[in-house]
Amino acid sequence: MSDKATLILNDKSYELPLVKGTENEIGIDIKSLRASTGAITLDPGFKNTGSCESSITYLDGEKGILRYAGYAIEDLTNRANFLEVAYLLIFGELPNEAQYNKFFDDIKKQSYVNYNMVRILDGFPKSAHPMGVLASLTSALISFNPKTVDVESDEEMYKAIVKIMAKFPVLTAWVFRNSKDEVLTESDSDLDYVENLCQMFFKEEGKKYEQNPVIVNALNQLLILHADHEQNCSTSTVRIVGSSHAGLFASISAGISALWGRLHGGANQAVLEMLDAIMEDGGDTKKFMQKAKDKNDPFRLMGFGHRVYKNFDPRARIIKKAADEVLNDLGVSDPVLDIAKGLEEEALKDSYFVDRKLYPNVDFYSGVIYKAIGIPVEMFTVMFALGRLPGWIGQWREMRLQKQPIGRPRQIYVGPTHREFKPLAER
Ligand code: ACO
């Protein structure tokens, strides 16, 4: 195969180099395109545009493969814990025991959150959406850690990473407890990362919290499954905000806002609301399938379809199995799971979904698990953010170390050409 692509524009031929990834993906390098041809590419939604070269996550949407730095998602969810995976995504290798212990110890030492942050939290109405509160609190953290990271210094980069890994879970637990008007909890350095999370979330005041291994395991799996997904909307946001040399916390706060939308991380909340609505309506899944297919109806089957996966989302397979196990282990029977399975079964044999290659995505079953372990619907996307944090950090770090230029797309202007200005009174 040639290592160049040829572009013919206005009868003139231009050669563009090809870039090949380790999994043989091909990109056409257009860095010199505008300078040599005067033209740009146009790709709204970036469906065909690579924004970077990355060593963090590989996915093949056609084959349904997802790997973090070469490791299959199936192995990681079954054999690693979330903190090991976080280390992998951030530093590129699974930690050995000494590296793991140091990373975890350093995180524990940073898990104190300045109590003035509680006053900021108190200022939000209890009805505020947890994602809005989380984005604001993450942004507010900057004021208590004002130094921007010198990315040339490994030590400063490491400190910033450890700080956000330590404080973010505390913030998510506070957002959760505050929405329920419960006393805020603090991090407990005797517990592992996910156990600590469970305690901070679920501990009842004045009572000892008993860990439930089913919940710890389910949460561990969900966080790993959500930990990275290459250049998705929120990650691209984190990278582009960071490319202006905004700090790590500010970039992550922007990522949280991007994740909130219903077409992205907000889909997990939307899925459960949809399943509840179908149940309340009498459980007629066929009726909702019709609505999803009707182009005059804005209804979409939430949790179905994916920009990149045109095959089963491998995360959905793992989560579906986990949902069955968790509900069984906890002795919970949730009719919403049956509705979800019914919808999936119908969609997989419906030509509308088959032709468009629409399969359940990661969010189709995650809400069923969150609900079973006691996380309310409006907190679902916060849980997603908690899982995505190491991915955002790793991608931000990679982008800064690659010295990526500021992200600044171009456009094709289609507005009015030059017009004579008229003063207000004459318009
Ligand atoms: N229900 C019904 N029809 C759908 C759905 C759906 N969930 N998803 C896509 N389609 C249809 C579109 O109407 C379109 O049909 P057409 O070709 O006849 O016009 C076709 O499938 C292609 O869809 P697009 O919107 O062009 O695909 P895109 O890649 O832009 O969107 C997205 C992907 C946003 C995920 C979309 O599938 C969707 O809205 N899904 C529901 C929301 C959701 O679950 N989001 C979570 C994604 S996973 C994540 O972010 C963690």
Side-chain angles (χ1 to χ4, degrees), residues 323-335 337 368 371-373:
D324 271 329
E325 285 166 6
V326 170
L327 265 57
N328 258 337
D329 286 343
L330 295 177
V332 178
S333 107
D334 190 342
L337 182 61
V368 177
K371 192 175 157 204
I373 66 178

Side-chain angles (χ1 to χ4, degrees), residues 47 262-265 267 292 295 300-307 310 352-353 356 358 361-363 384:
K47 291 191 179 193
R262 287 165 77 86
L263 296 187
H264 187 17
K295 291 288 169 203
R300 274 192 169 197
L301 202 54
M302 299 312 287
F304 258 79
H306 196 275
R307 169 57 61 81
K310 303 302 169 196
Y352 174 97
F353 288 87
R356 289 169 180 76
L358 301 170
N361 61 47
V362 66
D363 283 325
F384 190 152

Side-chain angles (χ1 to χ4, degrees), residues 165-289:
M165 281 297 295
K167 297 181 200 304
F168 197 69
V170 182
L171 297 185
T172 58
W174 283 6
V175 168
F176 175 56
R177 297 186 74 96
N178 191 55
S179 69
K180 301 201 302 172
D181 230 351
E182 286 179 355
V183 175
L184 302 185
T185 38
E186 284 178 357
S187 187
D188 181 341
S189 56
D190 289 335
L191 299 175
D192 92 6
Y193 196 83
V194 175
E195 284 175 351
N196 185 34
L197 257 176
C198 289
Q199 175 164 294
M200 285 194 293
F201 267 68
F202 301 123
K203 187 178 182 314
E204 288 178 50
E205 206 187 346
K207 287 193 190 164
K208 187 175 173 337
Y209 178 72
E210 292 294 339
Q211 296 289 340
N212 181 336
V214 175
I215 296 182
V216 173
N217 186 43
L219 206 50
N220 198 54
Q221 286 206 333
L222 282 166
L223 296 176
I224 293 174
L225 286 170
H226 283 102
D228 194 55
H229 211 234
E230 50 119 302
Q231 307 312 317
N232 57 84
C233 177
S234 57
T235 301
S236 299
T237 301
V238 168
R239 285 183 85 122
I240 209 161
V241 172
S243 76
S244 76
H245 294 194
L248 177 61
F249 298 0
S251 307
I252 286 181
S253 169
I256 296 168
S257 298
L259 186 73
W260 189 358
R262 287 165 77 86
L263 296 187
H264 187 17
N268 54 13
Q269 173 171 349
V271 169
L272 216 86
E273 285 167 357
M274 174 190 79
L275 295 175
D276 280 340
I278 296 176
M279 200 170 68
E280 271 167 35
D281 193 68
D284 182 357
T285 47
K286 290 201 169 55
K287 175 175 158 191
F288 285 85
M289 290 287 290

